[in-house]
Amino acid sequence: MKQLSTKVTSNGHGQDSSYFLGWEEYEKNPYDEITNPNGMIQMGLAENQLCFDLIESWLAKNPDAASLKRNGQSIFKELALFQDYHGMPEFKKAMAEFMEEIRGNRVTFDPKKIVLAAGSTSANETLMFCLAEPGDAFLLPTPYYPGFDRDLKWRTGAEILPIHCSSSNGFQITEAALQQAYQQAQKLDLKVKGVLVTNPSNPLGTALTRRELNLLVDFITSKNIHLISDEIYSGTMFGFEQFISVMDVLKDKKLENTEVSKRVHVVYSLSKDLGLPGFRVGAIYSNDEMIVSAATKMSSFGLVSSQTQYLLSALLSDKKFTSQYLEENQKRLKSRQRRLVSGLEAAGITSLRSNAGLFCWVDMRHLLDTNTFEAELELWKKIVYNVKLNISPGSSCHCTEPGWFRVCFANMSEDTLDLALKRLKTFVESTDCGRMISRSSHERLKSLRKKTVSNWVFRVSWSDRVPDER
Amino acid sequence: MGLPLMIERSSNNNNNNNNVVELSRVAVSDTHGEDSPYFAGWKAYDENPYDETHNPSGVIQMGLAENQVSFDLLETYLEKKNPEGSMWGSKGAPGFRENALFQDYHGLKTFRQAMASFMEQIRGGKARFDPDRIVLTAGATAANELLTFILADPNDALLVPTPYYPGFDRDLRWRTGVKIVPIHCDSSNNFQITPEALESAYQTARDANIRVRGVLITNPSNPLGATVQKKVLEDLLDFCVRKNIHLVSDEIYSGSVFHASEFTSVAEIVENIDDVSVKERVHIVYSLSKDLGLPGFRVGTIYSYNDNVVRTARRMSSFTLVSSQTQHMLASMLSDVEFTEKYIRINRERLRRRYETIVEGLKKAGIECLKGNAGLFCWMNLGFLLEKKTKDGELQLWDVILKELKLNISPGTSCHCSEFGWFRVCFANMSENTLEIALKRIHEFMDRRRKF
């Protein structure tokens, strides 16, 4: 039999992971308020469905943008023929300005340094093709987005090595963890080409602190490697503090226009902030001309539809719209997150204090039978098949501690979220019930106390990171 | 000609590591092909583009295989279907959010069905296409690269008949690390692929210890502008079966065949084969960039008779999905069978007339072309004008045509043609008037030459 390449037979596509299996189960039995109220509620999909009404009303007021017209005149032919891999200048300008606005206009983005891609999936892969040889490694803090195993490694042949983060400090990146990861690479005889972080983090739902960002920039400077900052969730920051981009840090450390700044690259996309994953709009931003040049040519393999570039350049050039959108988006995300968090708390479940993203990093360690990943998988199966909630187990995100789950909150209505929380509460109470019966009350109190103490310690260690919102 | 591997960087930062961090070999290689001397043609055009009114003596672009002859049909259709303009329905676009969220790599079902139906119509119903075997990619550029990733490993080879589309050097080789071994074709038999040429190419690869994974053809051919004969397709499939390799048929110009009866798709051949082991090695690439003239919308597809390839290609298409906005807009248009039948018919007719105009015009100037029957270009023979029948000789002539006639055409060597003096000349990316002007310039040039 004529064979296929090794890429086909490998598992590099990553689709055997539980992350994708949960999706499959959802597809078989999806929840619907009216037609299938006992169906599975999708809480494993990091989509932003909270602000479509804002975009829809803009579309109603600006019909030309989506109907391939300019000032009432058809520009169909112009758009149909436009396949320049440099991208539409008006669109790149609008993207640059939008990215600046998200960062409080503290830093500037030069449209000429933007390379468009069909989504950040494509952008991340393209950057890897530019920066890594097959067999080279990138260091990624755990837990990380499961899709990276495919996006960064599958066709590029690159490797990922984890920078282990733990709940002891809210999963922040430490100097020790960075060094350990680097040394591990050397032990395995792998050449490290860079570090890739997602900021704000998926799945943690937290923005990197200034301390972590400084640490990262210092680290890549000393090791002479690259830093990719995937800032796809930058517009979802709803916390009290403002989003700090790696570009802010370069500016504050006076590293702009230095050799180091050429090794720092930002990835962005409109899939999360604007909720437009179907339109496939991603971008690479780099200060290195050679990378911009190579990535631009590579973008031939994943250009953004000219029709889409046109629509979005009109949308994003409307500054009245963008400022209203960003503000409203943050408000609604914050309110939604609060709803999830308080619902979880009512069920005796805590989560990592989050200030961004479309999900919470939920602590269900106390619900595990044993502190193992097998137990985590058992719990996950119960939640998927019995409680009928699709959530993402931490192991699929390469978390080193069992018991953590990513739970999305922005891809459903409030009512659906409430129902999900109700189901979860019922489940937990039944579990707790079972537990209490089998243990002596003395032990139960002891374990409850321990739980309370560790949560308290946990929150205190956070005070320098996430100021109290009250 | 390659770029130097090292990048100049200042090393005045206080780090201990003296090694400059390099970019990947892929990033610095020149396999993207853009440093070739022929890009000077594009530059000349960009700097001095012809315009009927504002710059009548500027460079006329005849190196761009675009189809601009049938836009009016598309525009009228879209205007009629959506007079109020909104793509997703009226009053604030319901349907918008569902479309904006749709990123399923299976692709919009209605769109896949529309593509399957369109591809069947182009082949006059002589082959069926199952929508579930259609994988969508952002253009044929992405489809060809993706297939190469799936069918071959780095350092393996695909056999490609010459002359071929220059973009293949990048699309099939750059990031994949796969090689192209040419199947040499020449004018003695109108550049048809012969069994001898196939064997010879295969042997060349084996002698160099390179593993051949498949044959990739473009049918109709770019740059020849001619369909591949049915017998040749059958021989090709036999060859692939004997060598146990794949057959990829890029049929991006299938809707641009002037007379539908003259096109045989590999799908037709496979249609009558039951042996799965034969069918499973056949894959078809298609796109809307040429037949519909929509390169900006990035719509390509892989159609494979191999389940494993379909499944893997689908997953890989995550890196190159078609915008859901575009899928939505084109789905209803392409499934409107009455419209597509009319479009295909009129488009063929207009292209045929353009082709006849240019070939007649060239004939009058004493220039012969390969007998073509498809595509957006003709394959012109200027071998008799070369001072020396070498690559340099051809390049010199090309330079004269660019500088003196101000016509940007594509020299055969850029398409890896082994015979010198052939040029690809596009005719569908300009108005009829512009084409006449171009022909006039060629006439005058030939007159001048005759006087010496």
mmCIF file of all heavy atoms in Angstrom, chain B residues 21-53:
data_model
loop_
_atom_site.group_PDB
_atom_site.id
_atom_site.type_symbol
_atom_site.label_atom_id
_atom_site.label_comp_id
_atom_site.label_asym_id
_atom_site.label_seq_id
_atom_site.Cartn_x
_atom_site.Cartn_y
_atom_site.Cartn_z
ATOM 1 N N VAL B 21 21.392 33.950 17.936
ATOM 2 C CA VAL B 21 20.286 33.023 17.709
ATOM 3 C C VAL B 21 19.803 33.160 16.280
ATOM 4 O O VAL B 21 19.489 34.238 15.804
ATOM 5 C CB VAL B 21 19.130 33.265 18.720
ATOM 6 C CG1 VAL B 21 18.494 34.621 18.519
ATOM 7 C CG2 VAL B 21 18.088 32.165 18.613
ATOM 8 N N GLU B 22 19.822 32.055 15.580
ATOM 9 C CA GLU B 22 19.505 32.095 14.160
ATOM 10 C C GLU B 22 18.020 31.892 13.927
ATOM 11 O O GLU B 22 17.308 31.357 14.772
ATOM 12 C CB GLU B 22 20.262 30.974 13.446
ATOM 13 C CG GLU B 22 21.761 31.102 13.549
ATOM 14 C CD GLU B 22 22.439 29.754 13.297
ATOM 15 O OE1 GLU B 22 21.756 28.805 12.891
ATOM 16 O OE2 GLU B 22 23.663 29.676 13.534
ATOM 17 N N LEU B 23 17.619 32.289 12.751
ATOM 18 C CA LEU B 23 16.280 31.922 12.324
ATOM 19 C C LEU B 23 16.391 30.513 11.745
ATOM 20 O O LEU B 23 17.471 30.014 11.515
ATOM 21 C CB LEU B 23 15.763 32.892 11.267
ATOM 22 C CG LEU B 23 15.591 34.330 11.730
ATOM 23 C CD1 LEU B 23 14.933 35.158 10.642
ATOM 24 C CD2 LEU B 23 14.784 34.405 13.000
ATOM 25 N N SER B 24 15.254 29.903 11.472
ATOM 26 C CA SER B 24 15.299 28.542 10.951
ATOM 27 C C SER B 24 15.842 28.550 9.519
ATOM 28 O O SER B 24 15.819 29.580 8.841
ATOM 29 C CB SER B 24 13.893 27.949 10.940
ATOM 30 O OG SER B 24 13.101 28.639 9.987
ATOM 31 N N ARG B 25 16.245 27.407 9.071
ATOM 32 C CA ARG B 25 16.731 27.283 7.683
ATOM 33 C C ARG B 25 15.610 27.627 6.715
ATOM 34 O O ARG B 25 15.835 28.248 5.682
ATOM 35 C CB ARG B 25 17.225 25.849 7.429
ATOM 36 C CG ARG B 25 18.658 25.628 7.850
ATOM 37 C CD ARG B 25 19.156 24.270 7.361
ATOM 38 N NE ARG B 25 18.660 23.187 8.181
ATOM 39 C CZ ARG B 25 19.255 22.755 9.288
ATOM 40 N NH1 ARG B 25 20.380 23.324 9.705
ATOM 41 N NH2 ARG B 25 18.743 21.763 9.981
ATOM 42 N N VAL B 26 14.408 27.226 7.103
ATOM 43 C CA VAL B 26 13.268 27.515 6.243
ATOM 44 C C VAL B 26 13.096 29.020 6.062
ATOM 45 O O VAL B 26 12.851 29.516 4.973
ATOM 46 C CB VAL B 26 11.983 26.880 6.830
ATOM 47 C CG1 VAL B 26 10.736 27.489 6.217
ATOM 48 C CG2 VAL B 26 11.985 25.380 6.613
ATOM 49 N N ALA B 27 13.259 29.757 7.165
ATOM 50 C CA ALA B 27 13.036 31.199 7.118
ATOM 51 C C ALA B 27 14.044 31.899 6.221
ATOM 52 O O ALA B 27 13.724 32.859 5.537
ATOM 53 C CB ALA B 27 13.085 31.792 8.519
ATOM 54 N N VAL B 28 15.293 31.418 6.227
ATOM 55 C CA VAL B 28 16.328 32.130 5.481
ATOM 56 C C VAL B 28 16.599 31.532 4.103
ATOM 57 O O VAL B 28 17.356 32.087 3.329
ATOM 58 C CB VAL B 28 17.651 32.221 6.273
ATOM 59 C CG1 VAL B 28 17.428 32.967 7.565
ATOM 60 C CG2 VAL B 28 18.229 30.853 6.536
ATOM 61 N N SER B 29 15.976 30.421 3.802
ATOM 62 C CA SER B 29 16.219 29.828 2.487
ATOM 63 C C SER B 29 15.572 30.685 1.413
ATOM 64 O O SER B 29 14.766 31.558 1.710
ATOM 65 C CB SER B 29 15.648 28.414 2.417
ATOM 66 O OG SER B 29 14.278 28.469 2.063
ATOM 67 N N ASP B 30 15.927 30.408 0.183
ATOM 68 C CA ASP B 30 15.293 31.176 -0.887
ATOM 69 C C ASP B 30 14.292 30.314 -1.653
ATOM 70 O O ASP B 30 13.947 30.607 -2.787
ATOM 71 C CB ASP B 30 16.350 31.731 -1.837
ATOM 72 C CG ASP B 30 17.147 30.623 -2.512
ATOM 73 O OD1 ASP B 30 16.961 29.442 -2.132
ATOM 74 O OD2 ASP B 30 17.955 30.926 -3.402
ATOM 75 N N THR B 31 13.853 29.229 -1.023
ATOM 76 C CA THR B 31 12.932 28.326 -1.698
ATOM 77 C C THR B 31 11.574 28.968 -1.970
ATOM 78 O O THR B 31 10.778 28.465 -2.737
ATOM 79 C CB THR B 31 12.742 27.032 -0.873
ATOM 80 O OG1 THR B 31 14.022 26.571 -0.448
ATOM 81 C CG2 THR B 31 12.096 25.928 -1.684
ATOM 82 N N HIS B 32 11.334 30.117 -1.310
ATOM 83 C CA HIS B 32 10.089 30.816 -1.629
ATOM 84 C C HIS B 32 10.102 31.313 -3.057
ATOM 85 O O HIS B 32 9.094 31.686 -3.613
ATOM 86 C CB HIS B 32 9.876 31.975 -0.661
ATOM 87 C CG HIS B 32 11.079 32.860 -0.529
ATOM 88 N ND1 HIS B 32 11.508 33.674 -1.541
ATOM 89 C CD2 HIS B 32 11.948 33.022 0.485
ATOM 90 C CE1 HIS B 32 12.607 34.323 -1.136
ATOM 91 N NE2 HIS B 32 12.892 33.946 0.073
ATOM 92 N N GLY B 33 11.336 31.330 -3.645
ATOM 93 C CA GLY B 33 11.454 31.613 -5.070
ATOM 94 C C GLY B 33 11.364 33.058 -5.479
ATOM 95 O O GLY B 33 11.349 33.393 -6.666
ATOM 96 N N GLU B 34 11.300 33.953 -4.492
ATOM 97 C CA GLU B 34 11.029 35.332 -4.883
ATOM 98 C C GLU B 34 12.261 36.131 -5.249
ATOM 99 O O GLU B 34 12.148 37.312 -5.546
ATOM 100 C CB GLU B 34 10.252 36.009 -3.762
ATOM 101 C CG GLU B 34 8.915 35.306 -3.579
ATOM 102 C CD GLU B 34 7.927 36.148 -2.849
ATOM 103 O OE1 GLU B 34 8.181 37.358 -2.734
ATOM 104 O OE2 GLU B 34 6.921 35.609 -2.404
ATOM 105 N N ASP B 35 13.403 35.512 -5.211
ATOM 106 C CA ASP B 35 14.584 36.266 -5.596
ATOM 107 C C ASP B 35 14.953 36.033 -7.044
ATOM 108 O O ASP B 35 15.979 36.470 -7.509
ATOM 109 C CB ASP B 35 15.769 35.882 -4.687
ATOM 110 C CG ASP B 35 15.441 36.175 -3.233
ATOM 111 O OD1 ASP B 35 14.782 37.195 -2.986
ATOM 112 O OD2 ASP B 35 15.838 35.381 -2.366
ATOM 113 N N SER B 36 14.086 35.329 -7.771
ATOM 114 C CA SER B 36 14.427 35.035 -9.157
ATOM 115 C C SER B 36 14.437 36.325 -9.973
ATOM 116 O O SER B 36 13.729 37.270 -9.669
ATOM 117 C CB SER B 36 13.415 34.048 -9.749
ATOM 118 O OG SER B 36 12.225 34.730 -10.074
ATOM 119 N N PRO B 37 15.224 36.365 -11.026
ATOM 120 C CA PRO B 37 15.347 37.580 -11.830
ATOM 121 C C PRO B 37 14.022 38.009 -12.449
ATOM 122 O O PRO B 37 13.838 39.169 -12.787
ATOM 123 C CB PRO B 37 16.362 37.205 -12.917
ATOM 124 C CG PRO B 37 16.472 35.729 -12.877
ATOM 125 C CD PRO B 37 16.096 35.294 -11.520
ATOM 126 N N TYR B 38 13.072 37.068 -12.558
ATOM 127 C CA TYR B 38 11.817 37.397 -13.223
ATOM 128 C C TYR B 38 10.965 38.348 -12.411
ATOM 129 O O TYR B 38 10.035 38.946 -12.926
ATOM 130 C CB TYR B 38 11.064 36.112 -13.549
ATOM 131 C CG TYR B 38 12.008 35.095 -14.154
ATOM 132 C CD1 TYR B 38 12.379 33.945 -13.485
ATOM 133 C CD2 TYR B 38 12.602 35.349 -15.394
ATOM 134 C CE1 TYR B 38 13.289 33.055 -14.034
ATOM 135 C CE2 TYR B 38 13.510 34.459 -15.942
ATOM 136 C CZ TYR B 38 13.852 33.319 -15.255
ATOM 137 O OH TYR B 38 14.751 32.442 -15.780
ATOM 138 N N PHE B 39 11.297 38.458 -11.146
ATOM 139 C CA PHE B 39 10.534 39.396 -10.338
ATOM 140 C C PHE B 39 10.810 40.837 -10.747
ATOM 141 O O PHE B 39 10.058 41.739 -10.394
ATOM 142 C CB PHE B 39 10.780 39.155 -8.848
ATOM 143 C CG PHE B 39 9.844 38.114 -8.305
ATOM 144 C CD1 PHE B 39 10.063 36.768 -8.560
ATOM 145 C CD2 PHE B 39 8.710 38.486 -7.610
ATOM 146 C CE1 PHE B 39 9.172 35.814 -8.099
ATOM 147 C CE2 PHE B 39 7.815 37.531 -7.149
ATOM 148 C CZ PHE B 39 8.044 36.191 -7.391
ATOM 149 N N ALA B 40 11.865 40.996 -11.523
ATOM 150 C CA ALA B 40 12.142 42.336 -12.062
ATOM 151 C C ALA B 40 10.990 42.769 -12.955
ATOM 152 O O ALA B 40 10.698 43.958 -13.094
ATOM 153 C CB ALA B 40 13.447 42.322 -12.837
ATOM 154 N N GLY B 41 10.339 41.780 -13.559
ATOM 155 C CA GLY B 41 9.204 42.092 -14.424
ATOM 156 C C GLY B 41 8.070 42.710 -13.627
ATOM 157 O O GLY B 41 7.453 43.688 -14.038
ATOM 158 N N TRP B 42 7.805 42.108 -12.475
ATOM 159 C CA TRP B 42 6.746 42.617 -11.619
ATOM 160 C C TRP B 42 7.082 44.014 -11.130
ATOM 161 O O TRP B 42 6.225 44.895 -11.068
ATOM 162 C CB TRP B 42 6.555 41.694 -10.419
ATOM 163 C CG TRP B 42 6.016 40.377 -10.844
ATOM 164 C CD1 TRP B 42 6.693 39.346 -11.400
ATOM 165 C CD2 TRP B 42 4.653 39.971 -10.804
ATOM 166 N NE1 TRP B 42 5.837 38.311 -11.706
ATOM 167 C CE2 TRP B 42 4.585 38.668 -11.352
ATOM 168 C CE3 TRP B 42 3.488 40.580 -10.362
ATOM 169 C CZ2 TRP B 42 3.397 37.964 -11.456
ATOM 170 C CZ3 TRP B 42 2.300 39.873 -10.460
ATOM 171 C CH2 TRP B 42 2.259 38.575 -11.005
ATOM 172 N N LYS B 43 8.339 44.190 -10.818
ATOM 173 C CA LYS B 43 8.799 45.490 -10.315
ATOM 174 C C LYS B 43 8.582 46.545 -11.392
ATOM 175 O O LYS B 43 8.075 47.628 -11.123
ATOM 176 C CB LYS B 43 10.294 45.382 -9.968
ATOM 177 C CG LYS B 43 10.821 46.511 -9.127
ATOM 178 C CD LYS B 43 12.101 46.091 -8.372
ATOM 179 C CE LYS B 43 12.787 47.305 -7.753
ATOM 180 N NZ LYS B 43 13.697 47.998 -8.672
ATOM 181 N N ALA B 44 8.972 46.200 -12.623
ATOM 182 C CA ALA B 44 8.825 47.151 -13.728
ATOM 183 C C ALA B 44 7.363 47.531 -13.900
ATOM 184 O O ALA B 44 7.034 48.696 -14.158
ATOM 185 C CB ALA B 44 9.374 46.554 -15.013
ATOM 186 N N TYR B 45 6.491 46.550 -13.737
ATOM 187 C CA TYR B 45 5.058 46.835 -13.857
ATOM 188 C C TYR B 45 4.595 47.731 -12.727
ATOM 189 O O TYR B 45 3.887 48.716 -12.929
ATOM 190 C CB TYR B 45 4.239 45.540 -13.884
ATOM 191 C CG TYR B 45 2.760 45.791 -13.769
ATOM 192 C CD1 TYR B 45 2.031 46.271 -14.850
ATOM 193 C CD2 TYR B 45 2.098 45.605 -12.559
ATOM 194 C CE1 TYR B 45 0.669 46.534 -14.735
ATOM 195 C CE2 TYR B 45 0.752 45.870 -12.434
ATOM 196 C CZ TYR B 45 0.034 46.336 -13.529
ATOM 197 O OH TYR B 45 -1.304 46.614 -13.407
ATOM 198 N N ASP B 46 4.985 47.403 -11.513
ATOM 199 C CA ASP B 46 4.557 48.200 -10.360
ATOM 200 C C ASP B 46 4.994 49.646 -10.481
ATOM 201 O O ASP B 46 4.297 50.560 -10.066
ATOM 202 C CB ASP B 46 5.125 47.600 -9.064
ATOM 203 C CG ASP B 46 4.345 46.365 -8.628
ATOM 204 O OD1 ASP B 46 3.166 46.247 -9.036
ATOM 205 O OD2 ASP B 46 4.901 45.519 -7.901
ATOM 206 N N GLU B 47 6.194 49.820 -11.051
ATOM 207 C CA GLU B 47 6.733 51.185 -11.147
ATOM 208 C C GLU B 47 6.125 51.976 -12.294
ATOM 209 O O GLU B 47 6.131 53.201 -12.288
ATOM 210 C CB GLU B 47 8.258 51.139 -11.319
ATOM 211 C CG GLU B 47 8.974 50.759 -10.030
ATOM 212 C CD GLU B 47 10.433 50.388 -10.268
ATOM 213 O OE1 GLU B 47 10.893 50.494 -11.430
ATOM 214 O OE2 GLU B 47 11.103 49.986 -9.298
ATOM 215 N N ASN B 48 5.582 51.278 -13.285
ATOM 216 C CA ASN B 48 5.090 51.971 -14.476
ATOM 217 C C ASN B 48 3.891 51.219 -15.078
ATOM 218 O O ASN B 48 3.958 50.744 -16.204
ATOM 219 C CB ASN B 48 6.248 52.063 -15.499
ATOM 220 C CG ASN B 48 5.860 52.794 -16.771
ATOM 221 O OD1 ASN B 48 4.906 53.572 -16.801
ATOM 222 N ND2 ASN B 48 6.601 52.545 -17.840
ATOM 223 N N PRO B 49 2.799 51.107 -14.324
ATOM 224 C CA PRO B 49 1.699 50.283 -14.805
ATOM 225 C C PRO B 49 0.896 50.951 -15.920
ATOM 226 O O PRO B 49 0.609 52.157 -15.854
ATOM 227 C CB PRO B 49 0.815 50.118 -13.553
ATOM 228 C CG PRO B 49 1.118 51.284 -12.699
ATOM 229 C CD PRO B 49 2.519 51.718 -13.019
ATOM 230 N N TYR B 50 0.550 50.179 -16.925
ATOM 231 C CA TYR B 50 -0.247 50.693 -18.040
ATOM 232 C C TYR B 50 -1.618 51.129 -17.536
ATOM 233 O O TYR B 50 -2.227 50.477 -16.691
ATOM 234 C CB TYR B 50 -0.410 49.586 -19.086
ATOM 235 C CG TYR B 50 -1.439 49.886 -20.157
ATOM 236 C CD1 TYR B 50 -1.099 50.644 -21.282
ATOM 237 C CD2 TYR B 50 -2.752 49.437 -20.032
ATOM 238 C CE1 TYR B 50 -2.041 50.927 -22.263
ATOM 239 C CE2 TYR B 50 -3.700 49.722 -21.006
ATOM 240 C CZ TYR B 50 -3.345 50.465 -22.111
ATOM 241 O OH TYR B 50 -4.294 50.752 -23.064
ATOM 242 N N ASP B 51 -2.065 52.244 -18.071
ATOM 243 C CA ASP B 51 -3.445 52.657 -17.825
ATOM 244 C C ASP B 51 -3.951 53.306 -19.103
ATOM 245 O O ASP B 51 -3.297 54.193 -19.651
ATOM 246 C CB ASP B 51 -3.527 53.650 -16.656
ATOM 247 C CG ASP B 51 -4.971 54.079 -16.392
ATOM 248 O OD1 ASP B 51 -5.454 55.005 -17.093
ATOM 249 O OD2 ASP B 51 -5.610 53.478 -15.523
ATOM 250 N N GLU B 52 -5.079 52.854 -19.544
ATOM 251 C CA GLU B 52 -5.642 53.294 -20.821
ATOM 252 C C GLU B 52 -5.635 54.817 -20.975
ATOM 253 O O GLU B 52 -5.279 55.351 -22.028
ATOM 254 C CB GLU B 52 -7.079 52.773 -20.935
ATOM 255 C CG GLU B 52 -7.493 52.441 -22.348
ATOM 256 C CD GLU B 52 -8.774 51.589 -22.377
ATOM 257 O OE1 GLU B 52 -8.977 50.774 -21.449
ATOM 258 O OE2 GLU B 52 -9.546 51.758 -23.323
ATOM 259 N N THR B 53 -6.019 55.494 -19.888
ATOM 260 C CA THR B 53 -6.139 56.951 -19.957
ATOM 261 C C THR B 53 -4.887 57.669 -19.455
ATOM 262 O O THR B 53 -4.352 58.545 -20.126
ATOM 263 C CB THR B 53 -7.338 57.432 -19.108
ATOM 264 O OG1 THR B 53 -8.351 56.441 -19.153
ATOM 265 C CG2 THR B 53 -7.861 58.753 -19.609
#
